Amino acid sequence: MTAYTPGAAETLAAILPCDREKEPVPPQPEETRSVALAMGGLMAQCAMAAITKDRETVITSSAGFVCELLALWEDQGIDAEAVWIELHGRIEVGELCHQMSRAPGRLKGRRKAAWRVATSKLP
């Protein structure tokens, strides 16, 4: 299993445009709409670049998407560490499912189909 390291949150906190000491501001619909539109455009640009194997555009559009994502988190008052904790939890669930599917002595006979988790959420 992986160990949670809070370093990712601190690393990204340095580039977050918000000041930790100021009062939280409620989300502004116009700002949210503009950030969401920018994110959508960058995602489409990144997907098209990936299909055409344009490495430089994938890099620049991915970087732009991450910047817009940070702006969305700020707009919504979301702490980056909460996101990293959620991602870590999903990784842990995925690793646990993988270990369970490969547990020795679990199956006596030949496996007929892959082991599946009964959920629609991906880890």
Side-chain angles (χ1 to χ4, degrees):
M1 296 275 181
T2 59
Y4 172 71
T5 54
E10 282 78 27
T11 302
L12 278 178
I15 62 173
L16 286 172
C18 64
D19 183 9
R20 293 277 184 198
E21 302 300 320
K22 69 181 184 180
E23 291 293 318
V25 179
Q28 302 298 318
E30 297 82 21
E31 177 69 19
T32 303
R33 187 176 300 114
S34 114
V35 170
L37 284 172
M39 287 177 69
L42 287 164
M43 285 189 304
Q45 184 180 9
C46 186
M48 287 186 289
I51 290 168
T52 60
K53 298 186 184 344
D54 181 358
R55 189 175 193 278
E56 285 301 314
T57 305
V58 169
I59 292 169
T60 57
S61 58
S62 296
F65 177 78
V66 170
C67 288
E68 293 298 329
L69 182 62
L70 293 173
L72 181 68
W73 290 351
E74 180 186 8
D75 179 59
Q76 298 294 309
I78 296 171
D79 184 26
E81 188 168 349
V83 176
W84 298 123
I85 290 171
E86 173 67 20
L87 285 172
H88 177 72
R90 290 179 180 213
I91 290 168
E92 289 293 310
V93 168
E95 288 179 356
L96 180 62
C97 290
H98 179 72
Q99 287 178 358
M100 287 174 60
S101 70
R102 303 207 182 277
R106 188 176 153 274
L107 294 172
K108 300 289 183 196
R110 190 171 153 251
R111 184 180 293 198
K112 291 184 171 79
W115 182 78
R116 298 182 189 270
V117 178
T119 181
S120 62
K121 293 193 175 199
L122 295 174

